[in-house]
Every structure is written in structure tokens, then in C-alpha cells.
């Protein structure tokens, strides 16, 4: 067994406390060695962090983590506009880095981070944890096994109902099309899920807008991505809204042999917010398999000639597991596996978000180009 990868989490707000620290602690081979927080908010204060993770040192500034020779991996879990700068400092200090989504707020900064990590031989992983959601893993299984035949179209939604602006949060400030709106909040997950299934799209069409009566951010996003796979087109439609009290299916896929429809979100976030902690990966304790009542529906053509006959049955969900993200980061740092979510993926997501803004402003479809 190699020595554990000693990890420092910068930020103990929503991301650091809910999505990073619990999963680092649950992955053998990683050690939550330090938490950087100086917040006066009791729920994210140094005292609370120390009580929650008594074996971790509590640091006041990121610089303490960067200069600590005992830290191997830095996790950036701070507001969006600080991601690129903190990641750059961590790489300069010779640390491996995980960056909460988005990797950066512009593609030029993302390219610089990718270049820096490559030149130093360091691991740089964007935290696109929702590749490990139950719906995304199940969709991947269906595509890989060609259960639906050739995929022709996909729709994917993250719908919320939040008609009033939340006070005292950076996520509700910054202007329409800014780095704190819905495009840079849920957009990275939705776009990353699409490219994880089908690679690089050829064209993009988008609408990024404010639908609520009062808002300082974009709170509604629609993006259409066009893919060409084996000379055949696939249309992938993405939507996110804060005015959807009756949410659409999380994902719906149509293929030449049938369809798959999944309602509802992966249960991990709700469990984490309720105080549940994941067990150590590899232990007998299960981690949130979906009940059968939450499984999606698989509809297949059993007779394709007219009149067409269909079968409709629940399709077992692949269990979502964010521990797998950090297990893969561990293996990548140790040279045992390539990154599942690469730094190049992080750059491509940011580039697509930029193109989405451009498409929305110009009200036209744009070709997609990447520098990586």
C-alpha cells in the first residue's frame, strides 16, 4: 500500500462541506489532512470544521496549504470566480488539484491550467461529480450496450422551483450571463454529461436568460448540442430552470429500438444535506441504491412492423456514487488509471458555456471549435 494522498480542502461552505470532505474521507488511499476556512458563519467556521473532522488541521489561508510540504492534493471548493487563480497557485506549488465546477470562468484560463498541469506532470481534475449520478451512469450503460439501438435524441433537465431570490449568497449575484448564474452553476454538469456520452459536439444553439420577475442572474438555460456519431446525427437538448414547479423528466433518450425515461434526481445530494455520510468505499455498507419505485422506464419495440407493439418495463438504475470520482483521482495520482474526468473535459465544458452565451446573444447556431 502506498502512503495516503494527503488532501487539503479550501473552503468549507456548501461545496467543501457537503460534496468534497465527506467523499475524500470515504475513499481509502486519501486522507483529509487539512481544511481551509476562516468563516464567521457558525455552519462553516473553523470550530465547526474541527468538530466535524477532528483529525484534520484547520488552516486560515490557502497559502498555508500551498506551502505545506505534507499536502499532496489541493481541492478548490470556493466561489466560482476564485477557482482559476487558486488552482494556478496550487499547481505552481507542485500540488495535484481538484477544482469544483466550473474549472474556470473562461476558456483561456482553463487552457492555462491544463498547460500548467501537463508541464509539471500533475493531476488536474474538474469536479464534474454528476457523471456519477444514477441517471448518467444508467444512460451510459444503455448507450454502451446499444439497448436503444442507435441514439437519435436526448433531452436532459435540471428543474427547480425557486421563484424568489435567495438573500446573502454569491450564487444570486453577478448579472445575466455572469459567472454565478444558472449557466455556470448547473450548465457544467449538464454539458459534461453530454460530452461524456457522445464526445465533442459539432454545433451549439442556446438561450440564456432571466425568467423570474426579480433576479440578478440568468435563471433559465436551454442549450441544443448537435453530435455526429458514425455519420449519423444526434440532437442533445439541455434545460435548466428556477421556475419549474412541475419538473420535466431528468433524462429522456430515444433510439431506433426504443426509449428510456427517468424522473427525479439522484438521491445523493438530498441524503448529504440531510446529514448522511457515505461509508468507506469497499466496506459492506451500501451507499444509496435507488429503490425500484424510482427506476426509469425502458420502452422497447417488440414488433417493429405495423402495427408496432411496445413493451414498457422498469429499468434497474445503476447506483450513483460520488466516491468513484475521488477513487479515480487517487488512482490517477498514483499512476494506476487515467482520469475519468480530464482537465481537457473541464476546458471543453467552459468553451461550450462561452459559446452558449455567444449563441444566445447573437440568436444563432454556432459551430463548435476547441483548442484542445
Amino acid at each position: 500500500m502506498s502512503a495516503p494522498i494527503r488532501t487539503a480542502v479550501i473552503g468549507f461552505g456548501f461545496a467543501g462541506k457537503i460534496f468534497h470532505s465527506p467523499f475524500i474521507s470515504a475513499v481509502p488511499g486519501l486522507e483529509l489532512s487539512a481544511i481551509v476556512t476562516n468563516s464567521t458563519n457558525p455552519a462553516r467556521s473553523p470550530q465547526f470544521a474541527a468538530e466535524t473532522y477532528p483529525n484534520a488541521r484547520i488552516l486560515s489561508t490557502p497559502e498555508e496549504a500551498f506551502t505545506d510540504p505534507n499536502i499532496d492534493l489541493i481541492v478548490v471548493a470556493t466561489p466560482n470566480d476564485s477557482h482559476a487563480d487558486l488552482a494556478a497557485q496550487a499547481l505552481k506549488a507542485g500540488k495535484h488539484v481538484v477544482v469544483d465546477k466550473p474549472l474556470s470562468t473562461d476558456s483561456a484560463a482553463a487552457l492555462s491550467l491544463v498547460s500548467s498541469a501537463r508541464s509539471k506532470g500533475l493531476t488536474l481534475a474538474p469536479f464534474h461529480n454528476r457523471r456519477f449520478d444514477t441517471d448518467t451512469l444508467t444512460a451510459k450503460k444503455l448507450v454502451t450496450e446499444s439497448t436503444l439501438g442507435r441514439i437519435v435524441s436526448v433531452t436532459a433537465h435540471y428543474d427547480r422551483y425557486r421563484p424568489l431570490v435567495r438573500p446573502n449568497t454569491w450564487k444570486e449575484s453577478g448579472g445575466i450571463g455572469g459567472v454565478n448564474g444558472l449557466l455556470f452553476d448547473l450548465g457544467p454538469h449538464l454539458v459534461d454529461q453530454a460530452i461524456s456520452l457522445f464526445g465533442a459536439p459539432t454545433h451549439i444553439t442556446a438561450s440564456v436568460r432571466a425568467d423570474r420577475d426579480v433576479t440578478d442572474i440568468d435563471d433559465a438555460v436551454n442549450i441544443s448540442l448537435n453530435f455526429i456519431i458514425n455519420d449519423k446525427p444526434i440532437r442533445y437538448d439541455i434545460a435548466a430552470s428556477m421556475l419549474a414547479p412541475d419538473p420535466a423528466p431528468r433524462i429522456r433518450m430515444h433510439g431506433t429500438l426504443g426509449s428510456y425515461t427517468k424522473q427525479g434526481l439522484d438521491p445523493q445530494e438530498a441524503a448529504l444535506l440531510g446529514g448522511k455520510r457515505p461509508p468507506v468505499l469497499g466496506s459492506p455498507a451500501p451507499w444509496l441504491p435507488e429503490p425500484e419505485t424510482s427506476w426509469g422506464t425502458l420502452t422497447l419495440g417488440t414488433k417493429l412492423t405495423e402495427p408496432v407493439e411496445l413493451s414498457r418495463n422498469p429499468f434497474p438504475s445503476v447506483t450513483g456514487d460520488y466516491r468513484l470520482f475521488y477513487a479515480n483521482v487517487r488512482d490517477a495520482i498514483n499512476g494506476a488509471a487515467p482520469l475519468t474526468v480530464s482537465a481537457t473535459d473541464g476546458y471543453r465544458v467552459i468553451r461550450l458555456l462561452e459559446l452558449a452565451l455567444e449563441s444566445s446573444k447573437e440568436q444563432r447556431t454556432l459551430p463548435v471549435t476547441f483548442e484542445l
Side-chain angles (χ1 to χ4, degrees), residues 141-163:
K141 174 182 173 69
L142 291 167
V143 170
T144 300
E145 297 180 355
S146 300
T147 306
L148 303 178
R150 176 172 56 84
I151 303 298
V152 297
S153 67
V154 181
T155 57
H157 282 247
Y158 276 142
D159 288 336
R160 296 170 170 171
Y161 186 56
R162 192 174 289 155

Side-chain angles (χ1 to χ4, degrees), residues 88-126:
Q89 291 183 61
L91 291 169
K92 184 178 181 181
K95 312 297 186 183
H96 302 287
V97 184
V98 168
V99 186
D100 200 86
K101 56 81 189 169
L103 177 62
S104 66
T105 56
D106 65 85
S107 61
L111 278 173
S112 178
L113 292 175
V114 173
S115 176
S116 178
R118 285 181 176 175
S119 68
K120 296 176 181 296
L122 296 169
T123 295
L124 172 64

